[in-house]
Amino acid sequence: MTSLRGRGGVGRGPESRRGGEMAAEQDPEALAAARPLLTDLYQATMALGYWRARRAREQAEFELFFRGCPFGGAFALAAGLRDCVRFLRAFRLRDADVQFLASVLPPDTEPAFFEHLRGLDCSDVTVRALPEGSLAFPGVPLLQVCGPLLVVQLLETPLLCLVSYASLIATNAARLRLIAGPKKRLLEMGLRRAQGPDGGLTASTYSYLGGFDGSSNVLAGQLRGVPVAGTLAHSFITSFLGTEVPPNPAQEIRKIFRTISAQFQVPWLESVSITVSNNINEEELARLAQEGSEVNVIGIGTNVVTCPRQPSLGCVYKLVSVGGQPRMKLTEDPEKQTLPGSKAAFRLLGADGEAPPTPRGPSQVPRPPALFLAHTGSPLLDVLQLVDEPPPQAGQELRVWPRGAQEACTVRPAHVEPLLRLWVRRGQLCEPLPSLAESRAFAQLSLSRLSPEHKRLEQPAPYRVALSDKLRALVDRLCAGGPS
Amino acid sequence: MTSLRGRGGVGRGPESRRGGEMAAEQDPEALAAARPLLTDLYQATMALGYWRARRAREQAEFELFFRGCPFGGAFALAAGLRDCVRFLRAFRLRDADVQFLASVLPPDTEPAFFEHLRGLDCSDVTVRALPEGSLAFPGVPLLQVCGPLLVVQLLETPLLCLVSYASLIATNAARLRLIAGPKKRLLEMGLRRAQGPDGGLTASTYSYLGGFDGSSNVLAGQLRGVPVAGTLAHSFITSFLGTEVPPNPAQEIRKIFRTISAQFQVPWLESVSITVSNNINEEELARLAQEGSEVNVIGIGTNVVTCPRQPSLGCVYKLVSVGGQPRMKLTEDPEKQTLPGSKAAFRLLGADGEAPPTPRGPSQVPRPPALFLAHTGSPLLDVLQLVDEPPPQAGQELRVWPRGAQEACTVRPAHVEPLLRLWVRRGQLCEPLPSLAESRAFAQLSLSRLSPEHKRLEQPAPYRVALSDKLRALVDRLCAGGPS
């Protein structure tokens, strides 16, 4: 596995002063958000069911993923892992929590069940995940969570809550950055429009990760190291003037600055930074980003923070194996079918600066040409396979089954990247999490490699996710009701 | 002023065990959310500006209101006051907060400014507000906040954050309740889709206030006394079965229950409660609420929690007076113009069970008939006037200036209700806040009195908000640039 720090190449942010680990203990805000009762009641009901069936400690694995990219695009950015790790490390039911659960569960619930809850923590939980800032695609796990069935079931709701919105915001911010281009400064200013106080904190954190330059939210600076910036309010002006003069368009303001600068010989005034903000959405931002715009800084509130075009990512958390046996959800809607078994995920890439790889050798199925249209060095497709299969090899032809397609295709990648990294092994952090600034740089690097056909914001070409032969065969067996 | 408790007529919820007051001190979650740095940087910059101009302690008043009702409707429910009171009572900058501000404000900032910040609290802040669950209309203050200019400026962002989303959620829930009718049980199940952990907590709390019966969110039960309920997850079934059988439509399920009930003589099975959930929005809910539907409980997630039709209410917080002088924002957009001066607000109502009041006596201007179409006992319009004017009197004719209209109209209310109650006087809570359950009952009562023409969800008749003669004259003087 490659080092994230090597890729990002930027200095470590304030978080790294704590040695790269989340210092949950020093952060009452995190402790509050990390409450284990931030979950759906049915998780506790199911926990009781598992406990009564003597299955509480059975080894289970869940995958957290989304089914469709947000905002009509073809990519998302993975985010929220740092909050998940903070949550897992602090996860423990206090006496008051257990007492509250006792008050809402059936009155005949066995006291021994509550004793079991009192002893719970995440010391047997293992988490693999996409590094924050990674490109994420439908069906590829953002998180794989393994551990005792009862505990990993209880984690469902909080992990979904922490990952879904973070990834949605990061993706929204990345889209806005793509529109604005690299030079405009983008500030998130949406705290007042956010869905609750830490809706605001989450938005400030992950819009920075997704490509914004900073936020007006001071708490995001204090707790997360997000650069903070701001302007001033109408009320500041009216408090001095009584009434407020309507603002001029930015172009006019620059002319005024130039005139004053020349007339009174104050050269710095000519190039003073102009900030605009007022209901800026993707369309308005595209206008402001045009050549010749005199605007330097663009503040975006509601449209980055609440994601009005699609205010939820709709991540799901699905059981893929229990007691070593693969599990699968079959539904009438093939979109909602899950992929069974413990899996590995790889990203297959084209060559850097070379011609696209020429397929050679025998091939049983026709190759869809779209796979080879990608720019060299760009991701071609993601492959999901069973965890015990050998990884795909660079330069070697591979037969895979793209999801949603009826036929297999072959691909010969110039590079192969494993996607899921081991972050938490039996409750212990395996390596320091990258700083927020590093994840931000990684997100920009990831996006820069994505082919324009997948990166464009309207009607992009879908990026393919494919299954290995063995995984495909397992799906077929389980669909047919056969043995796993 | 009337007693809220007298109106609600329901038992006090768990909050009342603490004597009706918010017990911020016992609630780390509230303490975390209440951090004073949960604000925009520009508030601190402006605070510095006011301090340097020796205006920090000047008496100022802000109003918090919205400009348009959400979701294409003609009403909103006021909510979030309990969180604001909790925030104000805990408001104090810790040393670490001041140090962080020092790191982001200009390096030449005077140490005495930071000393001033260290001593800040809300002990000189006074808050009037609509009781939670009140009907709220555009331009009518949800909150009036008076106090030293520097402090009340700093409160802008957190108060907006706390009121906007709470009111949006309560309104969304009220719409869904109107569609579902009084008999279906509505459960909020959206924590996993919420915008951040306390986005979820806020949604659970205020969807209950707006008319839901409960939530799946256990933490909302523990911290806010919201009734909690739930079902079970797909993974529970797949963990036992390997794969999951696709669910039947509810109608089919009831038939199966009836058959089994008759065949095996288990009478209770026939009427067992059926719960459905899966992307239920207003249209789908209308279908489920129809006569003959066998569904008893409806779980709604994404569509109540994220408010996809309009994910932010867009409240604003505007300076209306400073040092005793009225202040006003003039803009090219008349919608964004503010109303100057310290104000009182009244709701004028028709007669209970009587014919609509007949206008009599001389009247200079034509009366728009719409004002008298409302059902008897229903709110006719809200009047904003300067705080020192005598209140409107029941049975007496009054000339007012509806916003957006060019001409005045007269109205003779059968009842007059003052809208804004004094909750916090110089930092002290004046009366216990109603419990959440009481506010919920009050919301349903308020809605029941609203005329159907304003209550209908699509293309309703706008509810009028009008200015008194004196307030209208002040606006005209300030617009003309004259003395206030």
Side-chain angles (χ1 to χ4, degrees):
Chain A
M1 293 191 190
T2 53
S3 156
L4 257 185
R5 246 158 295 145
R7 287 188 195 160
V10 295
R12 301 192 68 114
E15 281 180 20
S16 64
R17 284 183 231 133
R18 306 174 203 153
E21 292 202 13
M22 299 293 110
E25 298 71 16
Q26 297 160 27
D27 183 353
E29 177 266 344
L31 275 183
R35 292 183 166 205
L37 290 198
L38 186 79
T39 194
D40 292 306
L41 178 62
Y42 80 171
Q43 310 290 6
T45 313
M46 290 190 284
L48 176 59
Y50 291 135
W51 182 84
R52 283 183 172 161
R54 300 183 186 281
R55 300 184 58 195
R57 292 195 172 87
E58 231 173 280
Q59 195 67 12
E61 180 169 345
F62 283 81
E63 287 181 355
L64 192 157
F65 59 94
F66 57 85
R67 296 186 179 119
C69 290
F71 315 123
F75 70 87
L77 290 181
L81 179 62
R82 67 195 59 231
D83 291 328
C84 293
V85 170
R86 189 188 281 125
F87 175 81
L88 293 171
R89 288 161 53 101
F91 182 92
R92 192 175 280 277
L93 288 151
R94 301 167 307 166
D95 279 346
D97 299 333
V98 175
Q99 280 163 24
F100 185 77
L101 281 175
S103 76
V104 290
L105 286 172
D108 64 348
T109 304
E110 297 84 342
F113 172 67
F114 297 114
E115 276 314 301
H116 185 85
L117 293 184
R118 275 196 184 84
L120 283 186
D121 61 23
C122 287
S123 59
D124 284 326
V125 174
T126 292
V127 177
R128 288 180 176 77
L130 296 183
E132 285 193 294
S134 296
L135 290 168
F137 301 102
V140 177
L142 283 79
L143 255 65
Q144 290 175 323
V145 184
C146 309
L149 178 57
L150 188 148
V151 173
V152 290
Q153 178 72 67
L154 282 179
L155 299 176
E156 173 175 13
T157 310
L159 294 182
L160 282 171
C161 185
L162 294 171
V163 170
S164 275
Y165 181 54
S167 300
L168 186 76
I169 279 284
T171 308
N172 197 17
R175 289 172 65 92
L176 293 163
R177 168 56 71 198
L178 285 172
I179 295 169
K183 287 183 190 162
K184 302 284 183 202
R185 285 194 75 210
L186 291 181
L187 296 182
E188 178 274 312
M189 295 184 169
L191 176 56
R192 65 189 61 198
R193 299 285 186 259
Q195 297 197 343
D198 68 14
L201 187 60
T202 308
S204 306
T205 305
Y206 294 102
S207 58
Y208 176 66
L209 187 149
F212 271 46
D213 294 291
S215 165
S216 65
N217 182 347
V218 183
L219 195 62
Q222 186 184 32
L223 296 182
R224 307 292 179 92
V226 175
V228 292
T231 55
L232 49 80
H234 298 293
S235 59
F236 191 71
I237 300 170
T238 49
S239 89
F240 286 93
L241 293 182
T243 58
E244 183 194 352
V245 183
N248 284 308
Q251 233 78 317
E252 292 298 309
I253 287 174
R254 180 69 73 199
K255 274 189 209 158
I256 295 168
F257 284 163
R258 289 213 176 103
T259 308
I260 299 174
S261 168
Q263 203 162 340
F264 298 93
Q265 307 200 337
V266 270
W268 59 265
L269 191 63
E270 189 180 358
S271 56
V272 78
S273 182
I274 296 178
T275 301
V276 297
S277 69
N278 189 12
N279 265 324
I280 292 171
N281 58 17
E282 291 191 352
E283 293 69 37
E284 179 66 13
L285 180 61
R287 206 184 59 72
L288 288 169
Q290 279 168 4
E291 284 295 322
S293 161
E294 295 287 357
V295 169
N296 309 92
V297 185
I298 301 168
I300 308 185
T302 314
N303 286 299
V304 64
V305 161
T306 67
C307 304
R309 188 165 165 180
Q310 183 183 323
S312 67
L313 179 54
C315 284
V316 293
Y317 181 87
K318 296 295 175 188
L319 184 70
V320 296
S321 86
V322 66
Q325 295 300 308
R327 287 292 185 265
M328 177 171 184
K329 178 186 174 186
L330 293 175
T331 79
E332 286 163 351
D333 181 357
E335 288 272 303
K336 290 201 162 184
Q337 199 164 288
T338 61
L339 295 173
S342 288
K343 292 182 279 294
F346 298 91
R347 186 153 294 162
L348 310 189
L349 300 104
D352 297 317
E354 291 173 16
T358 314
R360 54 170 191 191
S363 165
Q364 294 84 344
V365 293
R367 289 181 197 89
L371 290 184
F372 300 99
L373 284 178
H375 281 207
T376 52
S378 289
L380 300 174
L381 56 69
D382 287 3
V383 177
L384 297 172
Q385 58 180 44
L386 294 174
V387 75
D388 51 6
E389 295 185 64
Q393 296 297 314
Q396 291 192 8
E397 198 166 81
L398 185 73
R399 187 172 82 142
V400 294
W401 298 81
R403 296 196 76 185
Q406 293 301 316
E407 293 185 328
C409 70
T410 55
V411 57
R412 193 160 58 88
H415 303 282
V416 175
E417 285 179 359
L419 289 177
L420 295 158
R421 292 164 70 97
L422 180 65
W423 295 103
V424 176
R425 190 202 319 257
R426 299 179 70 89
Q428 296 300 310
L429 199 60
C430 299
E431 57 173 318
L433 289 172
S435 74
L436 191 60
E438 285 169 331
S439 296
R440 179 178 184 273
F442 180 57
Q444 290 305 308
L445 181 72
S446 305
L447 275 168
S448 72
R449 301 193 316 179
L450 187 64
S451 148
E453 61 171 357
H454 303 308
K455 200 157 51 181
R456 69 169 179 261
L457 302 184
E458 300 299 332
Q459 305 196 308
Y463 180 86
R464 303 252 195 160
V465 176
L467 314 191
S468 70
D469 269 337
K470 283 197 174 172
L471 177 56
R472 164 84 181 201
L474 174 62
V475 169
D476 287 346
R477 273 203 307 281
L478 287 177
C479 282
S484 52
Chain B
M1 293 191 189
T2 53
S3 155
L4 256 184
R5 246 158 295 145
R7 286 189 197 159
V10 297
R12 301 193 69 115
E15 282 181 20
S16 65
R17 284 182 232 133
R18 306 174 202 153
E21 291 203 15
M22 299 292 112
E25 300 70 18
Q26 298 160 27
D27 183 352
E29 177 266 345
L31 275 182
R35 292 183 167 206
L37 290 198
L38 185 80
T39 194
D40 293 305
L41 179 62
Y42 80 172
Q43 310 291 7
T45 314
M46 289 190 284
L48 176 59
Y50 290 135
W51 182 84
R52 282 183 172 160
R54 299 181 187 282
R55 301 185 58 194
R57 292 194 173 86
E58 232 173 280
Q59 195 67 13
E61 180 169 344
F62 283 80
E63 285 181 356
L64 193 156
F65 58 94
F66 58 85
R67 295 186 179 118
C69 291
F71 315 123
F75 70 87
L77 289 181
L81 178 62
R82 68 194 61 231
D83 291 327
C84 293
V85 170
R86 188 188 281 124
F87 175 81
L88 293 171
R89 287 162 55 101
F91 182 92
R92 191 175 281 276
L93 289 152
R94 301 168 307 167
D95 280 345
D97 299 333
V98 175
Q99 281 163 24
F100 184 77
L101 281 176
S103 76
V104 291
L105 285 172
D108 64 348
T109 304
E110 297 83 342
F113 173 67
F114 297 114
E115 276 314 301
H116 185 85
L117 292 185
R118 276 196 184 85
L120 282 187
D121 60 23
C122 286
S123 58
D124 284 327
V125 174
T126 292
V127 177
R128 287 179 177 77
L130 296 183
E132 285 194 294
S134 296
L135 289 167
F137 300 103
V140 177
L142 282 79
L143 254 66
Q144 290 176 322
V145 184
C146 310
L149 178 57
L150 187 148
V151 173
V152 290
Q153 178 72 65
L154 282 178
L155 299 177
E156 173 175 13
T157 310
L159 294 183
L160 282 170
C161 185
L162 294 171
V163 170
S164 275
Y165 181 54
S167 300
L168 186 75
I169 280 284
T171 308
N172 197 17
R175 289 172 65 90
L176 293 163
R177 169 55 72 197
L178 285 172
I179 294 169
K183 287 184 189 161
K184 302 284 183 202
R185 284 195 75 210
L186 292 181
L187 296 182
E188 178 275 312
M189 295 184 167
L191 177 56
R192 64 189 59 197
R193 301 285 187 258
Q195 297 197 343
D198 66 16
L201 187 61
T202 308
S204 306
T205 306
Y206 293 103
S207 59
Y208 176 66
L209 187 149
F212 272 45
D213 293 292
S215 166
S216 65
N217 183 345
V218 184
L219 195 61
Q222 187 184 29
L223 297 182
R224 306 291 179 92
V226 175
V228 294
T231 54
L232 49 79
H234 298 293
S235 59
F236 191 72
I237 299 170
T238 49
S239 89
F240 285 92
L241 294 182
T243 56
E244 182 194 353
V245 183
N248 286 307
Q251 232 77 319
E252 291 298 310
I253 287 173
R254 180 70 72 198
K255 273 189 210 157
I256 295 169
F257 285 162
R258 288 212 177 103
T259 309
I260 299 174
S261 168
Q263 204 162 340
F264 298 92
Q265 307 198 337
V266 270
W268 58 266
L269 192 63
E270 189 179 357
S271 57
V272 78
S273 182
I274 296 179
T275 301
V276 298
S277 68
N278 188 15
N279 265 326
I280 292 169
N281 57 18
E282 291 191 351
E283 292 71 37
E284 179 66 13
L285 180 61
R287 206 183 59 72
L288 288 169
Q290 279 168 3
E291 283 296 322
S293 161
E294 293 288 357
V295 169
N296 310 94
V297 185
I298 301 167
I300 307 185
T302 314
N303 285 300
V304 63
V305 161
T306 68
C307 304
R309 187 165 168 182
Q310 183 183 324
S312 66
L313 178 56
C315 285
V316 293
Y317 181 87
K318 296 294 176 188
L319 185 69
V320 296
S321 86
V322 65
Q325 295 300 308
R327 288 291 186 263
M328 178 172 183
K329 178 185 174 187
L330 293 175
T331 79
E332 286 163 351
D333 181 356
E335 288 272 304
K336 290 201 163 186
Q337 199 163 289
T338 61
L339 294 173
S342 289
K343 291 184 280 296
F346 298 91
R347 186 153 294 162
L348 311 190
L349 300 104
D352 297 317
E354 289 174 18
T358 314
R360 54 167 190 189
S363 163
Q364 294 84 346
V365 293
R367 290 181 195 86
L371 290 184
F372 301 99
L373 284 178
H375 281 206
T376 53
S378 289
L380 299 173
L381 55 69
D382 287 3
V383 177
L384 298 171
Q385 58 181 45
L386 295 175
V387 75
D388 51 6
E389 295 184 65
Q393 296 297 314
Q396 292 194 7
E397 197 166 83
L398 184 73
R399 189 171 83 144
V400 294
W401 297 82
R403 295 197 76 184
Q406 293 301 315
E407 291 183 331
C409 70
T410 56
V411 58
R412 193 160 58 90
H415 303 282
V416 175
E417 285 179 359
L419 290 177
L420 296 158
R421 291 164 70 96
L422 180 66
W423 295 103
V424 177
R425 191 203 318 259
R426 299 180 68 90
Q428 296 300 310
L429 198 59
C430 299
E431 57 174 319
L433 289 173
S435 74
L436 191 58
E438 284 169 331
S439 296
R440 178 177 184 272
F442 181 56
Q444 290 306 309
L445 181 73
S446 305
L447 276 167
S448 73
R449 301 195 315 181
L450 187 64
S451 149
E453 62 172 357
H454 304 308
K455 201 156 53 180
R456 67 169 180 261
L457 303 183
E458 301 299 331
Q459 306 197 306
Y463 180 86
R464 305 252 193 158
V465 175
L467 315 190
S468 69
D469 269 338
K470 282 198 174 174
L471 177 56
R472 163 85 180 201
L474 174 62
V475 169
D476 287 346
R477 273 204 307 282
L478 287 175
C479 282
S484 52

